Structure formats: C-alpha cells, structure tokens
Amino acid sequence: MSMLSAAQWSTLWSRKTITTLESLFPENYDLNIAEFWQQLLVDDCQKIVDLACGNGALSWLVSEYLEKTSAKAQVIGLDAASIDPFTTLNKDPEAYPMVKFLGDVPMEDLPFDSSSIDIAVSQYGLEYANLPQAIAEIARVLKPRSKMGFIVHNKESTVVKGSTQFLQEHKIILNEIRIHELFLQLDQLIGKNREFRKISGKPKIKKQMIAINAASDRIQKIIAVVSPESEIQRYCIPMFNAFSEVSINKGVNRKGVVQASIDGLADYINRIEDLQAAALSNNDIAGLVNLIEKEGFKVTENRVIGYKKSSNIGTALVATR
Ligand SMILES: C[S@@+](CC[C@H](N)C(=O)[O-])C[C@H]1O[C@@H](n2cnc3c(N)ncnc32)[C@H](O)[C@@H]1O
C-alpha cells in the first residue's frame, strides 16, 4: 500500500512527467511492454479502466492503440491523486474524445455501476492500493465476461533494486551533508546585497564558500558511484545557480530555490521508500492471485516481464472471467 498521501502524488503529477520512471521510459511504456498491453486489447470491448493512472501513461498508450485499430472503446483513467493529465501534458481533449480522467478516486471505491467495465488495467498502480478491497471492487465493476491485466512492481525487479540501491546515499546528502543549510547561511550573510563584487571578498563569505565547496566535494564523491545521479543534480544545480554572481546581482529568491531543492530531494526519498513498501514479494503475488481467483477469475498469465537489458522490470498478470 502507498505510504504517500494523495496530495504528495498530486504534486508529482503536476510536473510534466508521463511516468514516474522518466529515465527508463522517457516517452511512455514501449517495446514489449506496449505489446503486452496491446495483446490484452485484441477483443471487442466498450469500456476500459486504467487504475492509478497518474498522468495517464497507460491510458494514452491504450487510446493510441485503439485509434490505430479503429476500435471504439472508452478509456477511463483514474487515480487517488488530483490528476489532470490533459492540462498538465498540454493535450487537447478534443483530440482524444474517447479518453476521460477522474482524479481523487481510490480504486477501492470505484464510481461505476456493477458489471459495467470490460477491461481493468494498471501499470505500477494496483500494488499501491489495499489489495483485498481493490480486487473485490474491480471484480464488482467488471462484466461477467471481462479481463484484468496488471504490471506490478516486484521486490526483485531492476526498477525496485536499482532505485533502492542508493537510497542511503540520497539520505546522507539530505540529512548529513546538508549543503542546503550552508546555502541558507550564505543567503543570510549576503542579505539584501546585490553587488557580488562588493561581498565576494568578505572573510565570512569566503569561509562559507569554502564550507560549501567541501560539502560539494563530498557530494561529487557520491555522484561518482550513484546512478542515475539526476535527482542529486536536480537538488544541487539550482542552488549553485541561485548563488552565482549573475543571480546575486539580479536579486533572485535564493531562499525559495533552496527550499525547493530540499523539498524535491525529500519527495524523491519518500517516493523510493514508498516504492520499496509497495513492491510485491513472491508471497504477496501468490496472495494476489488467490484474491483474483476467489472473485471467479482465472489467472492466465503470471510471469516476470523484462525490458531492454533488464530481465525483470515487474510482474505481468492477466486474468479472465
Ligand atoms: C507509480 S504511480 C503509477 C502511475 C501510472 N500507472 C504510471 O504507470 O505512470 C502510482 C500511482 O498510484 C496512485 N494510487 C496510490 N494508491 C491508490 C489507490 N488506492 N487508488 C488509486 N490510485 C492510487 C498514486 O496516486 C500514483 O499516481
């Protein structure tokens, strides 16, 4: 289950990111992952629901596939967070008449009539919910002849292992090195001064810069082993830029930049801890299969799925009734 609040997820989805795994899937899910979803959609259907859709990665994929095959099904993406993918991603709703998004909707309490949906799908979403409640609710809204398809995080996947591998390093940067605090002290020393050349030679400022450079060296050593390093750079670079000669002369809101950096890195750490908690063990997956079969579905696929060089980026499950 997700430990992040709907508000924390909403903040993430207000960024122009199509998935939370930007480095792995910069455009959207593709290759064999897209194929997995396409083979689920081959039968005629009227309504498809994408559970925990975020910014709609899977909903867009499904709608583009349906468009190509001239199928006329409605795609409804929903999420417990306050999502608005059309606005966030600058997409025109008129270009997607068959796609609709519903925010603030937990999958444990779906706003659909019983037996009204043909296919329920979710990529990296189902495992964030309360599984017994979600599966019972999904089974309620699915038609007597229907399908569910999920790709869920499992504890052995490269996504989970890769992101959690350097969690401790990110925590050291945020909680121990605390370069942001040094920048806040520098901000106080600079005060309202807007002439860099007048302040740069002051002993206290010089001393602070030495402390910042020492902290930066410690961070660089971590960056050398941490991959992907982008989150650390997203934290550091704006602070260094905000304290550059040009920014000081311009009177940039330095405190605001530092606070945004702190919040960004803290959010990332929370998200990775959440991923670690949500990822399913083999036992959890066996339990999930049981829950699905108890609702009268037959699980027809339950396999680890790979992507590019990774032999495990999640577990793919398909069930029919
Ligand atoms: C890792 S994101 C995946 C989003 C999307 N499926 C994708 O592939 O990009 C997990 C999502 O689950 C949502 N979520 C967590 N618990 C939920 C629940 N009980 N019901 C619906 N959505 C939930 C979060 O708000 C978040 O958007």
Side-chain angles (χ1 to χ4, degrees):
M1 257 182 89
S2 185
M3 302 181 304
L4 293 187
S5 65
Q8 283 172 305
W9 278 113
S10 306
T11 308
L12 176 82
W13 295 123
S14 64
R15 269 175 38 193
K16 258 186 184 340
T17 164
I18 189 144
T19 77
T20 48
L21 302 169
E22 284 163 284
S23 49
L24 195 57
F25 304 104
E27 303 294 331
N28 199 341
Y29 302 124
D30 59 357
L31 307 176
N32 60 318
I33 303 298
E35 276 163 28
F36 168 79
W37 292 116
Q38 286 166 6
Q39 52 108 26
L40 206 78
L41 303 170
V42 288
D43 300 335
D44 265 359
C45 65
Q46 288 156 340
K47 267 191 188 170
I48 301 166
V49 59
D50 174 16
L51 305 156
C53 66
N55 266 344
L58 186 51
S59 307
W60 301 120
L61 199 77
V62 168
S63 86
E64 276 153 28
Y65 175 73
L66 294 174
E67 175 92 24
K68 256 195 236 152
T69 57
S70 309
K72 287 265 171 289
Q74 190 181 21
V75 183
I76 307 166
L78 62 89
D79 200 285
S82 303
I83 48 151
D84 184 3
F86 277 114
T87 309
T88 311
L89 302 178
N90 282 333
K91 288 187 186 259
D92 178 6
E94 285 183 16
Y96 298 88
M98 302 304 277
V99 181
K100 181 164 120 178
F101 291 105
L102 304 173
D104 306 301
V105 175
M107 67 177 96
E108 296 85 345
D109 187 12
L110 296 170
F112 308 125
D113 290 340
S114 299
S115 307
S116 61
I117 307 288
D118 299 272
I119 305 180
V121 295
S122 182
Q123 174 145 357
Y124 301 142
L126 177 73
E127 64 277 38
Y128 289 88
N130 175 317
L131 289 178
Q133 286 178 22
I135 293 298
E137 182 64 347
I138 296 165
R140 176 187 72 77
V141 301
L142 281 171
K143 292 179 180 173
R145 276 177 65 84
S146 54
K147 267 189 220 174
M148 331 176 169
F150 309 117
I151 292 181
V152 293
H153 288 301
N154 67 56
K155 293 215 185 284
E156 298 306 313
S157 83
T158 36
V159 175
V160 176
K161 285 197 157 170
S163 1
T164 50
Q165 185 184 7
F166 297 114
L167 185 58
Q168 194 51 28
E169 281 76 1
H170 287 79
K171 284 182 169 179
I172 289 171
I173 291 174
L174 186 68
N175 303 324
E176 288 178 30
I177 301 182
R178 302 176 73 81
I179 199 171
H180 52 265
E181 211 157 80
L182 299 173
F183 274 117
L184 286 176
Q185 289 159 358
L186 180 61
D187 178 64
Q188 294 230 310
L189 292 173
I190 297 171
K192 291 201 174 1
N193 208 310
R194 278 191 175 209
E195 276 183 81
F196 180 81
R197 66 185 168 82
K198 275 198 184 162
I199 53 164
S200 57
K202 289 188 173 175
K204 276 190 177 171
I205 294 209
K206 273 185 166 173
K207 200 172 152 205
Q208 194 66 14
M209 285 309 300
I210 290 171
I212 287 175
N213 286 336
S216 173
D217 286 347
R218 287 181 69 192
I219 294 176
Q220 289 309 320
K221 283 196 183 113
I222 292 180
I223 286 181
V225 290
V226 170
S227 159
E229 68 284 350
S230 58
E231 212 50 52
I232 303 173
Q233 281 162 343
R234 246 202 285 272
Y235 160 79
C236 287
I237 292 171
M239 291 191 283
F240 276 99
N241 286 343
F243 286 81
S244 68
E245 179 172 355
V246 176
S247 301
I248 289 172
N249 292 348
K250 265 194 197 159
V252 159
N253 173 8
R254 298 182 297 262
K255 246 186 175 167
V257 172
V258 175
Q259 193 54 52
S261 280
I262 299 170
D263 293 346
L265 189 55
D267 277 357
Y268 174 78
I269 290 170
N270 283 337
R271 209 149 34 82
I272 299 305
E273 286 181 334
D274 194 44
L275 166 67
Q276 206 169 23
L280 303 182
S281 65
N282 287 342
N283 267 350
D284 296 332
I285 290 170
L288 174 58
V289 167
N290 259 337
L291 289 173
I292 294 172
E293 297 205 322
K294 259 205 217 146
E295 296 293 341
F297 286 80
K298 180 161 177 40
V299 173
T300 54
E301 257 186 85
N302 173 6
R303 65 182 166 101
V304 163
I305 189 163
Y307 177 77
K308 292 189 177 168
K309 286 184 183 152
S310 160
S311 57
N312 177 358
I313 61 131
T315 297
L317 286 166
V318 178
T320 55
R321 165 166 84 177

